[in-house]
Amino acid sequence: MTGDWWFEIPGNSIKENLDSFFHLAVAMNISTTVGDSAKAVQPQHATIGDAIRLHAATQPDHPAIVSTGLQPLTYRELQSLIDETRVALRAASLGRDARIAVAMPDNINAALAIIAVSCAAASIPVNPKQTLGEVEASFVKLKPAAVVLASNESSTARTAAERLGITIIEATIERTRIGMRIGARQASSDRTASLADGPDPESTAFILQTSGSAAEPKLIPFSHRNMLAAAARNQSWFKLTTQDRCLSASPPFYSHGLKVTVLTPLLSGGTVVFPADGSRFSLSEWFEDLKPTWYSAGPTLHRMVLDQVRTEANAAKRHTLRFILSGGAPLPQNVLEGLRDTLDVPVVEHYGSSEAAQIAANLPPPGPAKQGTCGVPWSGIVRIVDENGVDLAPGHQGEVLVGGPTLISGYLDAPELNRASFSDGWFRTGDLGSIDKDGFLTLHGRFSEVINRGGEKISPLEIDDALMRHPAVAEALAFPVPHPRLGQDVAAAVVLRPGMAATPVELRRYLQDQVASFKVPRRIVMCDQLPKGTSGKVVRRQMAAWLEANEQAAAAKSESSTPASTKTDDVDPMLAGQLVTIWERLLQTAPVALDDDFFDKGGDSLLAVEMLAEVERLTGQSIPPSALFEARTIRQIAQKLSAKTARADVVTKLNPSGTSTPLIHFHGDHKGGFYVSRLATLLGPDQPLFVIDPHDLGKERSPLPVSTLAADRLRLIRETQPHGPYRLSGYCAESLVAFEVARALKAEGETVEFVAMIDPPTVNARRYLQFILSTLRLARPIARTTVDRLGGIIWYKFSMLDRPWKFSIKQRVEAIKQRVRRLSGSEESRAPVEKGRGPGETRLPTLTESRLVQFFNMDTTEWPPGVEEMAFYSPKPLAVPVLYFAADYGPSAWRRITTDITTVELSGNHFDAIKDAENLARISDSLKARLRR
């Protein structure tokens, strides 16, 4: 080091320059050499201006800032600009605590002005692309004493300043070389006094404004000490020297652009290089002409660079890069690997915040790095804590807290926000993270952005990354949307790469192999560009509102056209009607239109599996779970499952690969037998369940004797299971068919192990009732309709005898009381509301209050199919074990038919026997116990 270097800085003494050197040495975490020995130095002050003054003294002609087509700016010239700016501001009575906004039209001049003002006062970088309203709101909140603007250039900032009466300081920009003159040139007599009044380390160097993605923008005062510590950290991590050149393509009015790509290289004595246009990548300009040794940017710019360099020949030999940094958001794996392989240079990710600068970083070789992480945090500045603030062990996820010398003291003018965000020197980042056993930090999203899908916590970052791995996807953003059953569900917006094509169905199918099925977005929206905030970052938490607004606009646009949901000529009406019934039952909502989305109506993955199982049983076609990614509406499903493909057979084999003897079940539900798939699941995969539909399911009634129905089903059973032993079960009236099938099988010499009957209607097993019905049977050829109706009435009347006796007596007493009141005219008859009934459901009528009053005036349209034939059905005794599940109907009459009967009581009524989950569990448990025997 020579002995005369400090004399090149007017107005400074030898002592002042030595102090500046010592101040910078401590701030940059280096040692100084005095004489022959190295010793730690403990100076009192250090600022951004001190650091730049040191470089101007030691390497005055070294380029500080370089840009395409302009003469470079040396450190000597940069120092001169800083000094002149301070003199100009002091002449305008603007002291070191003054807030001065800087609103310049381009990156390089904005960076210059921000640096110069920061060395004299508190600089406020302003985005020149903001609207007039945004700039005015910013000025009203920050109350700048002045604003630096390019001379003779109109802008929203100038208009806002004029409206608000803020002092305007003109900056004259050099046209052929890098540089400017801020304010009028001052006389040398004012110069010394002005230079002496500089900021101290705790003074605010610049005030950054967040993008306001969550609420109104936060004001972040970054001090000189904060910035010097941040630059020292980056210099240590990435081994920056005076020979390094950083390409700055990020706007300097944002934290990353200013701190990382402008001030870090300048405070390290290196060079900042600016392309002519930071939004348009040119390999020859950016890498060959400007010759950077490193650059740092967000994923969008990296993608732009990759798209260009991968088509260039010998791209790896046309640059001087040592490494590439990525921050601001996770870098997709394919982009990282593409840049690394194409340019043959390390690509590493780092993590920081506006409040604390860079926090953790992966390092270029031979430093530590782990793909998919943010790198190792700077020692002692990061904690991972639970909701109570307790530190968590490695590997556990919690909130990331940050401390250390780069952390600001608090937001400006926000006491409540500071109390919520800062505690005992630690800042609550709001990021969800974990540190592994090797010390690497991994982020899992923002606490406020984690999607809670019915209790399943989903990180949107994981979905983003998976989508970005698709070769056609340029940008992707997963976000939560409201869901009526789950609370939240996953949606995603995608921008495709130019010239590439992909559909939401293809992307959902692709994601099936990338993430768990419950994480696959139920809705993927293709768009030209993602909505972004003023900082250029996508605002995830506003995406649901954006999606809703887009859908409303699309709906309004198509109002004049006929809604697709009203058109039925392109689907089979019977199949569509059956699907509507299934959906309304599972979703517990009505009505359901043909073009309603299953998931938008409240469906979830569990209901989807059940729904597809029912559709599969209904149509006889194998339907994979991924089908809902291609057909999500009734219309789409019905079109794929046309009437031509509807099943012709009535036997469905559930758990067909099971090794146990099959259970043949007559499901007896004329609404579709939706419960059987759940019953099959409860019985287990090793128990085959062969399900037989009732006759004329969904068609006109065609009453047939029970014996005839049994004989018809016997043929199907023999085809399905040629030989015994047989195990039969049934629900409702189909229990009677199962019982008669058992009789026919035994007559053919087969073994029937048991018949399980789920709440079968009353059987006509009493001698006196058989006598009455035999008399009516003789009269049927003469007056069949009248006799059948009378038989049905008698059948219903005596069904009461099989109900639990306490319940039966209570109903009879109440019915008689109401009958007396009605006959006396004291009360009109009114049918009580039946609880527990879903839309369109009927039940086997019992002698409740209203039924007794209307006993001889019964509405037979409510009767289930074949009730007349059931009324005349008289079973004969059969030596077969019966497992009887009783809800509305009791087993007393069946004791005359079989002596081996076991009864299991069910809760609720006849229809609850198969709808209620507890009942189904009780049925399956009893069946499994019997099947094991």
Side-chain angles (χ1 to χ4, degrees), residues 493-699:
V494 166
V495 177
L496 298 179
R497 299 178 63 189
M500 302 291 282
T503 66
V505 170
E506 293 170 354
L507 293 176
R508 282 193 293 268
R509 189 183 298 121
Y510 167 79
L511 288 175
Q512 283 290 298
D513 298 326
Q514 305 293 317
V515 297
S517 59
F518 70 88
K519 298 179 182 180
V520 176
R522 297 301 180 254
R523 187 185 313 173
I524 295 181
V525 183
M526 317 303 289
C527 51
D528 295 331
Q529 62 180 8
L530 297 178
K532 295 182 173 66
T534 56
S535 66
K537 292 183 181 179
V538 180
V539 187
R540 196 185 303 271
R541 70 190 66 191
Q542 295 179 4
M543 289 298 295
W546 170 84
L547 179 61
E548 183 180 0
N550 277 12
E551 290 179 341
Q552 289 176 351
K557 186 176 181 180
S558 60
E559 264 185 354
S560 58
S561 61
T562 303
S565 59
T566 64
K567 301 176 183 178
T568 59
D569 54 351
D570 57 346
V571 297
D572 176 68
M574 178 177 291
L575 181 59
Q578 292 171 327
L579 293 176
V580 167
T581 301
I582 293 174
W583 282 34
E584 288 182 344
R585 178 186 178 278
L586 293 179
L587 298 174
Q588 298 182 5
T589 184
V592 172
L594 297 186
D595 292 299
D596 285 340
D597 185 286
F598 183 79
F599 295 100
D600 289 346
K601 293 294 287 185
D604 55 44
S605 55
L606 295 177
L607 284 179
V609 171
E610 188 171 348
M611 184 269 287
L612 291 176
E614 297 298 344
V615 175
E616 181 175 325
R617 195 189 62 76
L618 182 69
T619 63
Q621 298 187 58
S622 178
I623 307 175
S626 59
L628 276 183
F629 296 139
E630 304 178 25
R632 297 158 59 89
T633 69
I634 289 176
R635 186 185 305 279
Q636 293 169 341
I637 294 175
Q639 288 171 345
K640 289 183 175 292
L641 306 172
S642 63
K644 294 180 181 180
T645 61
R647 51 182 292 167
D649 64 309
V650 293
V651 180
T652 301
K653 295 182 179 181
L654 303 179
N655 301 335
S657 59
T659 58
S660 300
T661 302
L663 174 64
I664 300 173
H665 181 68
F666 296 73
H667 77 70
D669 181 8
H670 285 265
K671 291 293 184 181
F674 305 125
Y675 68 93
V676 292
S677 61
R678 283 180 287 174
L679 181 60
T681 301
L682 290 170
L683 291 175
D686 195 51
Q687 176 57 60
L689 183 66
F690 296 171
V691 182
I692 299 180
D693 291 340
H695 280 74
D696 305 312
L697 178 61
K699 301 179 182 179

Side-chain angles (χ1 to χ4, degrees), residues 17-81:
N17 283 288
L18 283 172
D19 282 345
S20 296
F21 173 74
F22 291 151
H23 299 165
L24 178 65
V26 170
M28 301 293 282
N29 198 25
I30 61 176
S31 64
T32 61
T33 302
V34 179
D36 296 327
S37 62
K39 63 178 180 179
V41 184
Q42 302 293 334
Q44 298 177 350
H45 303 290
T47 64
I48 294 173
D50 290 337
I52 293 176
R53 185 178 300 112
L54 172 63
H55 297 310
T58 57
Q59 49 179 23
D61 297 321
H62 189 70
I65 301 177
V66 174
S67 184
T68 304
L70 297 173
Q71 183 178 334
L73 183 76
T74 66
Y75 272 95
R76 177 193 290 114
E77 293 166 331
L78 175 59
Q79 182 62 51
S80 178
L81 170 63

